[in-house]
Each structure stands twice: as structure tokens, then as C-alpha cells.
Amino acid sequence: MPDTDAGGFQERFFTSSDGLRLYARDYPPDQAATAGWLPVICLPGLTRNARDFHPLALLLSRDMTAPRRVIALDSRGRGNSAWDDNKANYNLAVEAGDVIAACAALGIERAIFIGTSRGGLILHLIAAKRPDLLEAVILNDIGPVLEAEGLALIRDYLNSGRKPADWSEAVDLLKENHGASFTALAEEDWREMALALYRDISGRPIADFDPAIAEALKSIDFSQPLPDLWGQFESLSRLPLMLIRGENTSLLSQESAGEMARRHSGLIRHTAEGQGHAPLLHLDNIPTAIRTFLATCR
């Protein structure tokens, strides 16, 4: 089944502050065409990787009006980035440091960032720690408050122990886990999701992340309130900010999205219809909404 389009990007490797080899996809359009336009850096979700952003990255880097350089990162322990022997390093603070290291290695002094789920949480920390890196931010189905129900669902399906025997079964498993909340997806979309999540090992799909990342979710005590990031969210208040929320998401409540809008009066909100957590950003009218937002940023 695997036939991913390897065109349109350069593979880049760099080293974290603690010596781990990390990976990024770099989508560089014509330099003359992108003069004056800041790059876009994409940060994936908890167990996801740069492949999630491939269709969107091609759209943005090949835009006829304002093409931008797009960089999509693999967090440590995911995709083509090395797994960490110290599993405690799979945390937001360390991964925020990795993003800062990526910017330094790739010569990025300032950028527009797109953060899906955990990637958006990382951006909360970067906004507080290194605000000079951020020109604008797009949060994909994430905010300062995580709903316990949604996080428990993620914990359960990531730790279910079910492993697909082939690519057809991988697609079926994704439909079983997410079909009810992703009603907008066509067959090709499910296939693309499988190709992004799994790596082909001798013809068999293998989840492309360190299992310790999913294992760590088992230690969360859901009888206690989850910590929030409202303090860090305040650091985003000076920036152009867009929130994309899945219509059927269970991780980001309407109440939290409303409070985000109250605290950030300029927040641009977009609903990904027929999608759950986290929306695929290249579907339907989402790219148009992202392009419109980017047009307000240099």
C-alpha cells in the first residue's frame, strides 16, 4: 500500500541540546517568490509526525500568490527522529526546547507556527519562554484546557494493544476508532491517515512512535483536575491567533474555546465540520481559512 509522495521537500536532520538526532521536512519554494514572507513551522500531535502536514505543506509552499517555506517537525520519539532512552524526556518542556533547537539549526529567527494538539501545547510554552520566535500562531484543536474525557479516549485507543496485520486492517482500525467523529472523511482520507500514522516494516504497518509515549498516559490520575495553561496562554495575547476546532472533538470544549476568545479579542475561530480530534488541515475549506489568516502576517 505505501506510495507516499516523497516530492516537494528536503529531509533535514539536526541535534537537540541533549544530543538526540531529530528530523524535519523542509518544503522550500523559490527563494525569490518567498522574499519577505515568514516561514511556517508545523508541530504534530502526541504520537503523530511531519507526514500529517504533507498535503497542507505542499499547498502553502506552492501557493501561487504567497508561497511560504514550510517546515514540519518530528518530535523526539516520533517518525524519523530518534527515540530517547530517557523516557522522562517525553515532556512539553523538553520538546519545546527541541523546537527552539530546530529553529536555530534551520536558520529561523521568526516564524508562523501551526500546532496540532500536543504541538499547540508546546507553543504555549514557547510563547512564554521564547516569544521572539513567534509572529503568529494557529492552534489545531487545542487550548489551555484539556477535557479529561477526550484525553482518556486517546489513552485507551493508544494502549489497546491492537496491531494491524496489514494496511487494509490499519485503515479499518482507524475507522473503528475515529469513524464516528470523522464523518467528513472519504476513503482516500482514511488511507492517507494510515500512511501518516504507520511506518511500513516489511509490508506490515507499525505505529511510528516510541510506545513509551502512549504508556505514559496510563499514569494520569483522571480523578484529579488536569493542569491548565491559562498563564501561558496569556503570552499568546499579543500575537495574531487562529483556533481550528473539530466539530466533533472531545478534547477541546466549546466553553474553553469561548474563554479563549474572551481572553484574546482578536482570536480567529474556524470549525472543521465533520471532524473530531484533531482535524486534518488539508480538507474542505480549512486551507482557504489558513491562507486568509496567513495573508495578514508577513
Side-chain angles (χ1 to χ4, degrees), residues 125-140:
L125 271 63
I126 293 176
K129 182 178 182 180
R130 282 290 308 274
D132 57 296
L133 286 175
L134 308 178
E135 174 65 25
V137 168
I138 299 175
L139 298 175
N140 183 21

Side-chain angles (χ1 to χ4, degrees), residues 157 170-187 190 193 248 273-277:
Y157 75 70
V171 171
D172 291 341
L173 187 57
L174 288 175
K175 289 180 180 178
E176 180 180 325
N177 285 329
H178 306 294
S181 56
F182 282 86
T183 57
L185 270 60
E187 188 65 27
W190 290 110
M193 185 186 292
N248 304 318
E273 296 181 357
Q275 295 204 61
H277 182 80

Side-chain angles (χ1 to χ4, degrees), residues 2-46:
D3 59 354
T4 50
D5 175 14
F9 65 89
Q10 299 171 358
E11 296 191 308
R12 307 288 293 271
F13 287 91
F14 61 97
T15 304
S16 68
S17 61
D18 57 353
L20 210 63
R21 191 171 189 245
L22 304 178
Y23 172 85
R25 285 185 171 191
D26 192 347
Y27 297 77
D30 179 80
Q31 289 187 357
T34 58
W37 297 101
L38 288 174
V40 175
I41 299 180
C42 303
L43 310 182
L46 176 65

